[in-house]
Amino acid sequence: MIELIDVSYDVTEDNSDISILRDINIKIDERFVAITGPNGGGKSTLARLIAGIIKPTKGKILLDGKDITDMSITDRAKLGITYAFQQPVRFKGITVSDLIRLASGKDISVSDACVYLSEVGLCARDYINREVNASLSGGELKRIEIAMALARSTKLTVFDEPEAGIDLWSFQNLIQVFEKMHEKIQGSIIIISHQERILDIADRIIVIADGKVTAEGDKDSILPEMLNATGDCRFIRDPECARV
Ligand SMILES: Nc1ncnc2c1ncn2[C@@H]1O[C@H](COP(=O)(O)OP(=O)(O)OP(=O)(O)O)[C@@H](O)[C@H]1O
Ligand SMILES: [Mg+2]
């Protein structure tokens, strides 16, 4: 279980403090939680705080009751936190199979590594020996990163917009990958997403806007309210909407 207690995050720019996140209180022990909200609301910042890439200005972060607020990224990873970036990193000189093997933490066979690649819709044969460099497309890189998170299969996995840059066809398969993870996972998955189909399969949705948690609950309570807030009649079930 991951818990954020009164977490705030400020940055200093031109001698003035900018508040990015304010007094966040979140406790996650469900298997699948989606975080959503408008651009610039603070979702990726929250993911970076959980992964330990940045440290809160105020407040505490607990993993299974243990205070990890001051722990490094590496120590958090050892405790079982995996973070899949919104924009994945490229590694020159390292092949896709190296990455999957490193992620799994075991000396897995090429065919095992291939299973993970196939799960994210990549033809394993074409990718397994490719170098993780600039020649891979954004969508390919993103899928390799998801395959790595599957291979790691830790207590807590945070995906930051896994759908970003992924084409519609692959996106359908991605939903199935997450549904399968949902069934199999021992720990929790947090997915930051703008996609209704991902929000649909979450046990709980947390909305972050303007640096605060503005709503949380199950999809039946959150989705209609959120879609209504867009004011877009395509999303609003009330037939009167289009007539106004
Ligand atoms: N180091 C920083 N310095 C200045 N501003 C920052 C810094 N880090 C984040 N921000 C700002 O904080 C806000 C929240 O950023 P964040 O990346 O967390 O948003 P997000 O909810 O992930 O948005 P998106 O949906 O577009 O990915 C943005 O306005 C961003 O510009
Ligand atoms: Mg983001």
PDB file of all heavy atoms in Angstrom, residues 9-13 18-21 36-48 54 86 160-161 192 194 208 211, ligand 1:
ATOM      1  N   TYR A   9       4.413  19.931  -3.097  1.00  0.00           N
ATOM      2  CA  TYR A   9       5.642  20.065  -3.858  1.00  0.00           C
ATOM      3  C   TYR A   9       5.695  21.461  -4.471  1.00  0.00           C
ATOM      4  O   TYR A   9       4.802  21.853  -5.219  1.00  0.00           O
ATOM      5  CB  TYR A   9       5.721  18.992  -4.956  1.00  0.00           C
ATOM      6  CG  TYR A   9       6.980  19.086  -5.771  1.00  0.00           C
ATOM      7  CD1 TYR A   9       8.217  18.761  -5.201  1.00  0.00           C
ATOM      8  CD2 TYR A   9       6.957  19.516  -7.090  1.00  0.00           C
ATOM      9  CE1 TYR A   9       9.387  18.868  -5.937  1.00  0.00           C
ATOM     10  CE2 TYR A   9       8.125  19.616  -7.834  1.00  0.00           C
ATOM     11  CZ  TYR A   9       9.336  19.297  -7.250  1.00  0.00           C
ATOM     12  OH  TYR A   9      10.502  19.411  -7.971  1.00  0.00           O
ATOM     13  N   ASP A  10       6.731  22.207  -4.107  1.00  0.00           N
ATOM     14  CA  ASP A  10       6.924  23.568  -4.643  1.00  0.00           C
ATOM     15  C   ASP A  10       8.218  23.608  -5.438  1.00  0.00           C
ATOM     16  O   ASP A  10       9.150  22.873  -5.141  1.00  0.00           O
ATOM     17  CB  ASP A  10       7.110  24.594  -3.506  1.00  0.00           C
ATOM     18  CG  ASP A  10       5.953  24.617  -2.543  1.00  0.00           C
ATOM     19  OD1 ASP A  10       4.856  24.186  -2.924  1.00  0.00           O
ATOM     20  OD2 ASP A  10       6.165  25.053  -1.391  1.00  0.00           O
ATOM     21  N   VAL A  11       8.284  24.470  -6.424  1.00  0.00           N
ATOM     22  CA  VAL A  11       9.569  24.744  -7.072  1.00  0.00           C
ATOM     23  C   VAL A  11       9.836  26.247  -6.968  1.00  0.00           C
ATOM     24  O   VAL A  11       8.897  27.042  -6.853  1.00  0.00           O
ATOM     25  CB  VAL A  11       9.603  24.319  -8.563  1.00  0.00           C
ATOM     26  CG1 VAL A  11       9.571  22.823  -8.701  1.00  0.00           C
ATOM     27  CG2 VAL A  11       8.481  24.951  -9.356  1.00  0.00           C
ATOM     28  N   THR A  12      11.127  26.583  -6.976  1.00  0.00           N
ATOM     29  CA  THR A  12      11.471  28.000  -6.909  1.00  0.00           C
ATOM     30  C   THR A  12      11.918  28.453  -8.286  1.00  0.00           C
ATOM     31  O   THR A  12      12.784  27.834  -8.900  1.00  0.00           O
ATOM     32  CB  THR A  12      12.600  28.230  -5.881  1.00  0.00           C
ATOM     33  OG1 THR A  12      12.215  27.569  -4.679  1.00  0.00           O
ATOM     34  CG2 THR A  12      12.835  29.698  -5.604  1.00  0.00           C
ATOM     35  N   GLU A  13      11.280  29.479  -8.772  1.00  0.00           N
ATOM     36  CA  GLU A  13      11.636  30.019 -10.084  1.00  0.00           C
ATOM     37  C   GLU A  13      11.694  31.537  -9.966  1.00  0.00           C
ATOM     38  O   GLU A  13      10.749  32.143  -9.450  1.00  0.00           O
ATOM     39  CB  GLU A  13      10.576  29.600 -11.106  1.00  0.00           C
ATOM     40  CG  GLU A  13      11.185  29.068 -12.389  1.00  0.00           C
ATOM     41  CD  GLU A  13      10.128  28.492 -13.304  1.00  0.00           C
ATOM     42  OE1 GLU A  13       9.164  29.210 -13.623  1.00  0.00           O
ATOM     43  OE2 GLU A  13      10.275  27.323 -13.700  1.00  0.00           O
ATOM     44  N   ILE A  18       6.653  28.377  -6.600  1.00  0.00           N
ATOM     45  CA  ILE A  18       5.447  27.984  -7.330  1.00  0.00           C
ATOM     46  C   ILE A  18       4.973  26.672  -6.722  1.00  0.00           C
ATOM     47  O   ILE A  18       5.759  25.734  -6.551  1.00  0.00           O
ATOM     48  CB  ILE A  18       5.739  27.748  -8.828  1.00  0.00           C
ATOM     49  CG1 ILE A  18       6.462  28.952  -9.433  1.00  0.00           C
ATOM     50  CG2 ILE A  18       4.481  27.417  -9.595  1.00  0.00           C
ATOM     51  CD1 ILE A  18       7.009  28.690 -10.818  1.00  0.00           C
ATOM     52  N   SER A  19       3.688  26.648  -6.375  1.00  0.00           N
ATOM     53  CA  SER A  19       3.150  25.433  -5.781  1.00  0.00           C
ATOM     54  C   SER A  19       2.634  24.519  -6.881  1.00  0.00           C
ATOM     55  O   SER A  19       1.751  24.889  -7.651  1.00  0.00           O
ATOM     56  CB  SER A  19       2.028  25.857  -4.817  1.00  0.00           C
ATOM     57  OG  SER A  19       1.216  24.767  -4.553  1.00  0.00           O
ATOM     58  N   ILE A  20       3.220  23.321  -6.981  1.00  0.00           N
ATOM     59  CA  ILE A  20       2.811  22.380  -8.037  1.00  0.00           C
ATOM     60  C   ILE A  20       1.766  21.400  -7.490  1.00  0.00           C
ATOM     61  O   ILE A  20       0.777  21.112  -8.142  1.00  0.00           O
ATOM     62  CB  ILE A  20       4.028  21.588  -8.584  1.00  0.00           C
ATOM     63  CG1 ILE A  20       5.190  22.529  -8.940  1.00  0.00           C
ATOM     64  CG2 ILE A  20       3.627  20.708  -9.765  1.00  0.00           C
ATOM     65  CD1 ILE A  20       5.068  23.283 -10.215  1.00  0.00           C
ATOM     66  N   LEU A  21       2.010  20.886  -6.276  1.00  0.00           N
ATOM     67  CA  LEU A  21       1.020  20.021  -5.614  1.00  0.00           C
ATOM     68  C   LEU A  21       0.804  20.535  -4.198  1.00  0.00           C
ATOM     69  O   LEU A  21       1.756  20.963  -3.538  1.00  0.00           O
ATOM     70  CB  LEU A  21       1.519  18.572  -5.559  1.00  0.00           C
ATOM     71  CG  LEU A  21       1.523  17.770  -6.854  1.00  0.00           C
ATOM     72  CD1 LEU A  21       2.223  16.430  -6.655  1.00  0.00           C
ATOM     73  CD2 LEU A  21       0.110  17.539  -7.390  1.00  0.00           C
ATOM     74  N   THR A  36      -6.401  10.811 -13.140  1.00  0.00           N
ATOM     75  CA  THR A  36      -6.679  11.579 -14.340  1.00  0.00           C
ATOM     76  C   THR A  36      -6.856  13.055 -13.972  1.00  0.00           C
ATOM     77  O   THR A  36      -6.788  13.426 -12.801  1.00  0.00           O
ATOM     78  CB  THR A  36      -7.927  11.004 -15.061  1.00  0.00           C
ATOM     79  OG1 THR A  36      -8.005  11.562 -16.363  1.00  0.00           O
ATOM     80  CG2 THR A  36      -9.215  11.286 -14.304  1.00  0.00           C
ATOM     81  N   GLY A  37      -7.098  13.868 -14.970  1.00  0.00           N
ATOM     82  CA  GLY A  37      -7.274  15.304 -14.727  1.00  0.00           C
ATOM     83  C   GLY A  37      -6.632  16.109 -15.832  1.00  0.00           C
ATOM     84  O   GLY A  37      -5.911  15.561 -16.677  1.00  0.00           O
ATOM     85  N   PRO A  38      -6.881  17.412 -15.839  1.00  0.00           N
ATOM     86  CA  PRO A  38      -6.410  18.250 -16.950  1.00  0.00           C
ATOM     87  C   PRO A  38      -4.884  18.338 -17.071  1.00  0.00           C
ATOM     88  O   PRO A  38      -4.175  18.093 -16.100  1.00  0.00           O
ATOM     89  CB  PRO A  38      -6.990  19.635 -16.622  1.00  0.00           C
ATOM     90  CG  PRO A  38      -7.421  19.582 -15.209  1.00  0.00           C
ATOM     91  CD  PRO A  38      -7.651  18.163 -14.847  1.00  0.00           C
ATOM     92  N   ASN A  39      -4.422  18.688 -18.259  1.00  0.00           N
ATOM     93  CA  ASN A  39      -2.984  18.899 -18.494  1.00  0.00           C
ATOM     94  C   ASN A  39      -2.440  19.902 -17.493  1.00  0.00           C
ATOM     95  O   ASN A  39      -3.090  20.903 -17.202  1.00  0.00           O
ATOM     96  CB  ASN A  39      -2.732  19.443 -19.906  1.00  0.00           C
ATOM     97  CG  ASN A  39      -3.074  18.451 -20.995  1.00  0.00           C
ATOM     98  OD1 ASN A  39      -3.714  18.789 -21.974  1.00  0.00           O
ATOM     99  ND2 ASN A  39      -2.658  17.215 -20.828  1.00  0.00           N
ATOM    100  N   GLY A  40      -1.258  19.600 -16.987  1.00  0.00           N
ATOM    101  CA  GLY A  40      -0.613  20.521 -16.065  1.00  0.00           C
ATOM    102  C   GLY A  40      -1.162  20.468 -14.651  1.00  0.00           C
ATOM    103  O   GLY A  40      -0.775  21.264 -13.792  1.00  0.00           O
ATOM    104  N   GLY A  41      -2.048  19.514 -14.377  1.00  0.00           N
ATOM    105  CA  GLY A  41      -2.665  19.419 -13.046  1.00  0.00           C
ATOM    106  C   GLY A  41      -1.729  18.946 -11.953  1.00  0.00           C
ATOM    107  O   GLY A  41      -1.927  19.240 -10.773  1.00  0.00           O
ATOM    108  N   GLY A  42      -0.696  18.170 -12.345  1.00  0.00           N
ATOM    109  CA  GLY A  42       0.270  17.691 -11.351  1.00  0.00           C
ATOM    110  C   GLY A  42       0.395  16.169 -11.299  1.00  0.00           C
ATOM    111  O   GLY A  42       1.027  15.631 -10.386  1.00  0.00           O
ATOM    112  N   LYS A  43      -0.166  15.450 -12.270  1.00  0.00           N
ATOM    113  CA  LYS A  43      -0.176  13.986 -12.237  1.00  0.00           C
ATOM    114  C   LYS A  43       1.231  13.390 -12.373  1.00  0.00           C
ATOM    115  O   LYS A  43       1.611  12.524 -11.590  1.00  0.00           O
ATOM    116  CB  LYS A  43      -1.071  13.432 -13.361  1.00  0.00           C
ATOM    117  CG  LYS A  43      -2.495  13.936 -13.295  1.00  0.00           C
ATOM    118  CD  LYS A  43      -3.333  13.430 -14.447  1.00  0.00           C
ATOM    119  CE  LYS A  43      -2.871  13.902 -15.819  1.00  0.00           C
ATOM    120  NZ  LYS A  43      -2.898  15.368 -16.007  1.00  0.00           N
ATOM    121  N   SER A  44       1.996  13.861 -13.369  1.00  0.00           N
ATOM    122  CA  SER A  44       3.355  13.313 -13.546  1.00  0.00           C
ATOM    123  C   SER A  44       4.238  13.673 -12.356  1.00  0.00           C
ATOM    124  O   SER A  44       5.103  12.892 -11.959  1.00  0.00           O
ATOM    125  CB  SER A  44       3.995  13.836 -14.827  1.00  0.00           C
ATOM    126  OG  SER A  44       3.299  13.370 -15.953  1.00  0.00           O
ATOM    127  N   THR A  45       3.993  14.852 -11.793  1.00  0.00           N
ATOM    128  CA  THR A  45       4.754  15.273 -10.611  1.00  0.00           C
ATOM    129  C   THR A  45       4.488  14.288  -9.471  1.00  0.00           C
ATOM    130  O   THR A  45       5.415  13.856  -8.774  1.00  0.00           O
ATOM    131  CB  THR A  45       4.357  16.708 -10.199  1.00  0.00           C
ATOM    132  OG1 THR A  45       4.536  17.549 -11.332  1.00  0.00           O
ATOM    133  CG2 THR A  45       5.163  17.211  -9.029  1.00  0.00           C
ATOM    134  N   LEU A  46       3.243  13.895  -9.316  1.00  0.00           N
ATOM    135  CA  LEU A  46       2.872  12.927  -8.284  1.00  0.00           C
ATOM    136  C   LEU A  46       3.590  11.592  -8.525  1.00  0.00           C
ATOM    137  O   LEU A  46       4.131  10.988  -7.599  1.00  0.00           O
ATOM    138  CB  LEU A  46       1.354  12.731  -8.311  1.00  0.00           C
ATOM    139  CG  LEU A  46       0.793  11.825  -7.238  1.00  0.00           C
ATOM    140  CD1 LEU A  46       0.781  12.561  -5.909  1.00  0.00           C
ATOM    141  CD2 LEU A  46      -0.612  11.376  -7.580  1.00  0.00           C
ATOM    142  N   ALA A  47       3.623  11.152  -9.797  1.00  0.00           N
ATOM    143  CA  ALA A  47       4.297   9.893 -10.127  1.00  0.00           C
ATOM    144  C   ALA A  47       5.790   9.990  -9.806  1.00  0.00           C
ATOM    145  O   ALA A  47       6.381   9.058  -9.258  1.00  0.00           O
ATOM    146  CB  ALA A  47       4.092   9.566 -11.601  1.00  0.00           C
ATOM    147  N   ARG A  48       6.396  11.137 -10.115  1.00  0.00           N
ATOM    148  CA  ARG A  48       7.833  11.311  -9.845  1.00  0.00           C
ATOM    149  C   ARG A  48       8.102  11.315  -8.345  1.00  0.00           C
ATOM    150  O   ARG A  48       9.134  10.839  -7.895  1.00  0.00           O
ATOM    151  CB  ARG A  48       8.339  12.626 -10.460  1.00  0.00           C
ATOM    152  CG  ARG A  48       8.482  12.532 -11.954  1.00  0.00           C
ATOM    153  CD  ARG A  48       9.161  13.769 -12.517  1.00  0.00           C
ATOM    154  NE  ARG A  48       8.655  14.022 -13.849  1.00  0.00           N
ATOM    155  CZ  ARG A  48       7.889  15.046 -14.190  1.00  0.00           C
ATOM    156  NH1 ARG A  48       7.590  15.979 -13.301  1.00  0.00           N
ATOM    157  NH2 ARG A  48       7.443  15.157 -15.416  1.00  0.00           N
ATOM    158  N   ILE A  54      11.825  13.072  -7.485  1.00  0.00           N
ATOM    159  CA  ILE A  54      11.835  14.337  -6.750  1.00  0.00           C
ATOM    160  C   ILE A  54      11.320  14.063  -5.334  1.00  0.00           C
ATOM    161  O   ILE A  54      10.651  13.052  -5.099  1.00  0.00           O
ATOM    162  CB  ILE A  54      10.946  15.418  -7.436  1.00  0.00           C
ATOM    163  CG1 ILE A  54       9.554  14.857  -7.752  1.00  0.00           C
ATOM    164  CG2 ILE A  54      11.599  15.937  -8.712  1.00  0.00           C
ATOM    165  CD1 ILE A  54       8.575  15.877  -8.300  1.00  0.00           C
ATOM    166  N   GLN A  86       6.279   8.951 -18.787  1.00  0.00           N
ATOM    167  CA  GLN A  86       5.405   9.476 -19.849  1.00  0.00           C
ATOM    168  C   GLN A  86       6.196   9.481 -21.169  1.00  0.00           C
ATOM    169  O   GLN A  86       5.689   9.138 -22.215  1.00  0.00           O
ATOM    170  CB  GLN A  86       4.939  10.888 -19.476  1.00  0.00           C
ATOM    171  CG  GLN A  86       3.915  11.478 -20.424  1.00  0.00           C
ATOM    172  CD  GLN A  86       3.225  12.723 -19.845  1.00  0.00           C
ATOM    173  OE1 GLN A  86       3.552  13.190 -18.769  1.00  0.00           O
ATOM    174  NE2 GLN A  86       2.256  13.243 -20.579  1.00  0.00           N
ATOM    175  N   ASP A 160       2.779   6.237 -16.494  1.00  0.00           N
ATOM    176  CA  ASP A 160       2.372   7.604 -16.814  1.00  0.00           C
ATOM    177  C   ASP A 160       1.934   7.666 -18.272  1.00  0.00           C
ATOM    178  O   ASP A 160       2.756   7.574 -19.180  1.00  0.00           O
ATOM    179  CB  ASP A 160       3.528   8.575 -16.547  1.00  0.00           C
ATOM    180  CG  ASP A 160       3.032  10.024 -16.483  1.00  0.00           C
ATOM    181  OD1 ASP A 160       1.858  10.270 -16.826  1.00  0.00           O
ATOM    182  OD2 ASP A 160       3.827  10.890 -16.083  1.00  0.00           O
ATOM    183  N   GLU A 161       0.639   7.778 -18.486  1.00  0.00           N
ATOM    184  CA  GLU A 161       0.039   7.823 -19.820  1.00  0.00           C
ATOM    185  C   GLU A 161       0.581   6.742 -20.750  1.00  0.00           C
ATOM    186  O   GLU A 161       1.215   7.054 -21.761  1.00  0.00           O
ATOM    187  CB  GLU A 161       0.220   9.214 -20.440  1.00  0.00           C
ATOM    188  CG  GLU A 161      -0.551  10.256 -19.657  1.00  0.00           C
ATOM    189  CD  GLU A 161      -0.658  11.575 -20.406  1.00  0.00           C
ATOM    190  OE1 GLU A 161      -0.706  11.549 -21.647  1.00  0.00           O
ATOM    191  OE2 GLU A 161      -0.712  12.605 -19.734  1.00  0.00           O
ATOM    192  N   ILE A 192      -1.770   6.669 -14.852  1.00  0.00           N
ATOM    193  CA  ILE A 192      -2.156   8.039 -15.144  1.00  0.00           C
ATOM    194  C   ILE A 192      -2.664   8.031 -16.577  1.00  0.00           C
ATOM    195  O   ILE A 192      -1.955   7.556 -17.478  1.00  0.00           O
ATOM    196  CB  ILE A 192      -0.945   8.975 -15.000  1.00  0.00           C
ATOM    197  CG1 ILE A 192      -0.474   8.966 -13.544  1.00  0.00           C
ATOM    198  CG2 ILE A 192      -1.292  10.381 -15.480  1.00  0.00           C
ATOM    199  CD1 ILE A 192       0.839   9.667 -13.327  1.00  0.00           C
ATOM    200  N   HIS A 194      -5.693   9.713 -19.656  1.00  0.00           N
ATOM    201  CA  HIS A 194      -6.813  10.560 -20.081  1.00  0.00           C
ATOM    202  C   HIS A 194      -7.855   9.711 -20.808  1.00  0.00           C
ATOM    203  O   HIS A 194      -8.832  10.246 -21.314  1.00  0.00           O
ATOM    204  CB  HIS A 194      -6.326  11.650 -21.047  1.00  0.00           C
ATOM    205  CG  HIS A 194      -5.322  12.579 -20.436  1.00  0.00           C
ATOM    206  ND1 HIS A 194      -5.667  13.534 -19.519  1.00  0.00           N
ATOM    207  CD2 HIS A 194      -3.981  12.697 -20.606  1.00  0.00           C
ATOM    208  CE1 HIS A 194      -4.580  14.204 -19.166  1.00  0.00           C
ATOM    209  NE2 HIS A 194      -3.550  13.713 -19.804  1.00  0.00           N
ATOM    210  N   ILE A 208      -6.919  14.751 -10.324  1.00  0.00           N
ATOM    211  CA  ILE A 208      -6.005  15.796  -9.848  1.00  0.00           C
ATOM    212  C   ILE A 208      -6.084  16.983 -10.790  1.00  0.00           C
ATOM    213  O   ILE A 208      -5.921  16.837 -12.009  1.00  0.00           O
ATOM    214  CB  ILE A 208      -4.556  15.258  -9.766  1.00  0.00           C
ATOM    215  CG1 ILE A 208      -4.521  14.178  -8.678  1.00  0.00           C
ATOM    216  CG2 ILE A 208      -3.562  16.379  -9.479  1.00  0.00           C
ATOM    217  CD1 ILE A 208      -3.168  13.798  -8.210  1.00  0.00           C
ATOM    218  N   GLY A 211      -3.092  21.026  -8.946  1.00  0.00           N
ATOM    219  CA  GLY A 211      -2.257  20.648  -7.808  1.00  0.00           C
ATOM    220  C   GLY A 211      -2.984  20.040  -6.631  1.00  0.00           C
ATOM    221  O   GLY A 211      -2.385  19.868  -5.564  1.00  0.00           O
TER     222      GLY A 211
HETATM  223  N1  LIG B   1      10.463  21.712 -12.131  1.00  0.00           N
HETATM  224  C1  LIG B   1       9.433  22.460 -12.490  1.00  0.00           C
HETATM  225  N2  LIG B   1       9.539  23.792 -12.650  1.00  0.00           N
HETATM  226  C2  LIG B   1       8.486  24.574 -13.008  1.00  0.00           C
HETATM  227  N3  LIG B   1       7.266  24.080 -13.229  1.00  0.00           N
HETATM  228  C3  LIG B   1       7.092  22.767 -13.096  1.00  0.00           C
HETATM  229  C4  LIG B   1       8.139  21.878 -12.717  1.00  0.00           C
HETATM  230  N4  LIG B   1       7.646  20.618 -12.663  1.00  0.00           N
HETATM  231  C5  LIG B   1       6.344  20.716 -13.000  1.00  0.00           C
HETATM  232  N5  LIG B   1       6.018  21.997 -13.263  1.00  0.00           N
HETATM  233  C6  LIG B   1       4.669  22.494 -13.640  1.00  0.00           C
HETATM  234  O1  LIG B   1       3.751  21.870 -12.787  1.00  0.00           O
HETATM  235  C7  LIG B   1       2.545  21.613 -13.453  1.00  0.00           C
HETATM  236  C8  LIG B   1       2.199  20.147 -13.341  1.00  0.00           C
HETATM  237  O2  LIG B   1       3.020  19.389 -14.202  1.00  0.00           O
HETATM  238  P1  LIG B   1       2.813  17.843 -14.455  1.00  0.00           P
HETATM  239  O3  LIG B   1       3.816  17.396 -15.451  1.00  0.00           O
HETATM  240  O4  LIG B   1       2.805  17.147 -13.146  1.00  0.00           O
HETATM  241  O5  LIG B   1       1.338  17.830 -15.080  1.00  0.00           O
HETATM  242  P2  LIG B   1       0.456  16.632 -15.624  1.00  0.00           P
HETATM  243  O6  LIG B   1      -0.793  16.604 -14.793  1.00  0.00           O
HETATM  244  O7  LIG B   1       1.271  15.390 -15.691  1.00  0.00           O
HETATM  245  O8  LIG B   1       0.062  17.129 -17.089  1.00  0.00           O
HETATM  246  P3  LIG B   1      -0.124  16.313 -18.476  1.00  0.00           P
HETATM  247  O9  LIG B   1      -1.542  15.774 -18.448  1.00  0.00           O
HETATM  248  O10 LIG B   1       0.020  17.377 -19.502  1.00  0.00           O
HETATM  249  O11 LIG B   1       0.937  15.258 -18.570  1.00  0.00           O
HETATM  250  C9  LIG B   1       2.740  22.110 -14.882  1.00  0.00           C
HETATM  251  O12 LIG B   1       2.205  23.408 -14.982  1.00  0.00           O
HETATM  252  C10 LIG B   1       4.249  22.121 -15.040  1.00  0.00           C
HETATM  253  O13 LIG B   1       4.652  23.078 -15.971  1.00  0.00           O
END
